[in-house]
Amino acid sequence: CIRDSSEPTPPAPGTRVAVADPPAGERLKGDAAIVLERKLGTRAEPLLAESNVSPGDTIQVSYRSGGWSHGVLVSLDGAGAVTLHFPETSGDSTALQSEGTAVLHAFELDDAPAFERFLFFTANSPLDPDAVVKRVESMARAPNPAHAPVVASPAEAVVELPLVRTSAADPDPE
């Protein structure tokens, strides 16, 4: 298949993407990615869409900008909590590192049930982290927040990496 280089690059298999129609005359970019790894002592295990995670797992959060200049990375868990991962606080710049993988932080998963959805909103102009968090909080109030549709503004693209939460006592179903 030959693709026009102006087309966005599709995400990695298993990654869902929501892309709104761009404003007239603006070209969308592609290749933005959420990079998650479970820390296992001195090594790390990549987490893919629908990977199983448990309370106490330490997750390293990173991103690749894919050519987008601004972004906001958040997660929504099965308890309805929304966590801002990038920028560090809502008042910080949403400018993305343009090259390579930007390593953010690692955190330990709590005991929230069912799922963890990581969402990376990208755009070519500054984003309002508080507005993004409010949109994701509205997803948490949906009848089925694990599968609630992602709402993107016309200038945004969104990459999602969903994880499946298991309790520490659950056997690994894989």
Side-chain angles (χ1 to χ4, degrees), residues 38 47 51-55 57 59 109 116 163-166:
R38 180 183 0 239
L47 295 172
S51 288
N52 291 305
V53 293
S54 300
D57 285 351
I59 308 298
L109 289 176
E116 186 88 25
L163 302 176
V164 177
R165 295 280 207 129
T166 60

Side-chain angles (χ1 to χ4, degrees), residues 26-131:
E26 185 170 326
R27 183 174 72 84
L28 290 179
K29 298 180 182 184
D31 291 326
I34 302 165
V35 180
L36 301 177
E37 296 178 318
R38 180 183 0 239
K39 291 183 149 197
L40 302 166
T42 59
R43 60 186 190 87
E45 168 189 60
L47 295 172
L48 306 174
E50 309 297 333
S51 288
N52 291 305
V53 293
S54 300
D57 285 351
T58 299
I59 308 298
Q60 175 67 58
V61 181
S62 305
Y63 71 80
R64 285 193 298 272
S65 71
W68 295 96
S69 59
H70 291 270
V72 173
L73 197 154
V74 299
S75 62
L76 167 64
D77 68 24
V82 177
T83 302
L84 179 64
H85 297 282
F86 181 85
E88 193 171 312
T89 68
S90 63
D92 292 345
S93 171
T94 61
L96 296 173
Q97 175 181 307
S98 61
E99 299 293 324
T101 301
V103 178
L104 300 177
H105 61 268
F107 72 102
E108 188 173 302
L109 289 176
D110 61 13
D111 60 355
F115 69 90
E116 186 88 25
R117 292 176 75 177
F118 286 83
L119 302 151
F120 187 26
F121 293 76
T122 55
N124 287 323
S125 58
L127 295 168
D128 178 352
D130 289 330

Side-chain angles (χ1 to χ4, degrees), residues 140-155:
R141 293 186 297 274
N144 185 356
H147 301 287
V150 178
V151 177
S153 77

